[in-house]
Amino acid sequence: MKKPKNNRVILSFICFIFGMMLAFSYQYAKKEAAKRNVTDRQWQKEYEYRQQLIQIQKENRKLKNELVQKQNEVTEMENALANQQKAHTNLAKQAEKLRMYVGESKVKGKGIEVTLSDASYIPSEQSATDYIVHEQHVFKVIHELLISGAEAIAINGQRISHRSYIVCNGPVIEVDGTQHAAPFIISAIGNPDVLISALNIAGGITDQLVQDNITVKIDRKEEIVLDPIFPVHRP
């Protein structure tokens, strides 16, 4: 009679243990499922964040490329404007230099003065013309000064240009219609050393003038001021 009772106790104990195991397995499975759900949601969020980050990086690269392109365009525009401004500056300088050459602007600078005077002694009145300054003498000096780099020239203070004319009229010469008597002071703005060397070269202009009985004097000037040319009145 005691043996069946013991069996029921053992069976009850086994059932209790089995129930506890089932309960524990259920709770464990429930917790693991919850953990997986949390883990899945986190992974989904991380994936979405990662995709957003990749998209933002792509946009940043695109914007950076556009920025570099715009910067290059701005640099090209700045260079073009600088070149244009430089060109305008060069044109302005060239225009001013041309105005100086044609005598339309007042100029000053270093240079020389060449004074041509009639001979101090004239043997006879019949040969007087052989001892005075003629227009060809003035022409020779001016031509030599121009080819030697003179930037501006004046005769007795009267500025001359490429359109100027010089003619002899008895004891005087006419420069663009204005009469001048000897001595003739030819002022030239330019490098004094170069101009003086060009005139004094052996067998050059100075020697030729002396052979023609012309008195020549050359002076170096630290500053020469020449006014613009007045309108030329041709006869």
Side-chain angles (χ1 to χ4, degrees), residues 22-203:
L22 288 176
F24 177 78
S25 298
Y26 174 76
Q27 292 296 329
Y28 178 79
K30 185 177 180 181
K31 289 181 180 180
E32 289 297 320
K35 288 182 180 180
R36 282 198 301 271
N37 290 335
V38 172
T39 302
D40 291 344
R41 287 196 300 271
Q42 290 177 345
W43 183 87
Q44 183 65 28
K45 286 293 182 182
E46 290 178 359
Y47 176 78
E48 292 176 358
Y49 292 152
R50 189 179 296 109
Q51 292 300 113
Q52 292 177 5
L53 179 60
I54 293 173
Q55 186 63 29
I56 291 173
Q57 290 175 340
K58 289 182 180 180
E59 292 294 330
N60 287 340
R61 282 195 296 269
K62 180 180 179 182
L63 292 174
K64 184 178 180 180
N65 292 334
E66 292 179 357
L67 177 60
V68 171
Q69 182 179 357
K70 296 298 181 184
Q71 288 175 337
N72 291 335
E73 292 176 359
V74 170
T75 301
E76 292 177 359
M77 292 177 63
E78 289 176 345
N79 292 335
L81 289 175
N83 292 334
Q84 188 176 9
Q85 184 177 5
K86 184 177 180 181
H88 289 165
T89 302
N90 291 335
L91 287 175
K93 290 181 179 179
Q94 291 177 7
E96 182 61 27
K97 185 175 290 186
L98 289 174
R99 282 194 293 269
M100 179 185 67
Y101 284 142
V102 300
E104 293 183 357
S105 62
K106 185 176 182 178
V107 292
K108 66 179 180 179
K110 293 183 177 181
I112 64 173
E113 283 185 354
V114 182
T115 304
L116 304 182
S117 304
D118 298 337
S120 58
Y121 172 73
I122 300 177
S124 66
E125 292 184 1
Q126 293 179 350
S127 61
T129 57
D130 295 333
Y131 293 86
I132 64 175
V133 180
H134 294 283
E135 77 275 15
Q136 65 265 25
H137 300 133
V138 177
F139 270 129
K140 285 182 179 180
V141 174
I142 292 176
H143 178 71
E144 188 65 31
L145 291 173
L146 287 174
I147 64 176
S148 300
E151 299 174 355
I153 296 177
I155 301 174
N156 287 0
Q158 181 180 347
R159 188 90 169 268
I160 64 172
S161 71
H162 64 287
R163 297 179 298 174
S164 295
Y165 67 94
I166 303 172
V167 295
C168 222
N169 187 4
V172 299
I173 65 172
E174 287 187 5
V175 180
D176 296 333
T178 301
Q179 292 186 348
H180 296 276
F184 303 105
I185 301 175
I186 303 172
S187 304
I189 293 178
N191 188 318
D193 295 329
V194 175
L195 298 179
I196 292 174
S197 297
L199 294 176
N200 288 335
I201 190 172

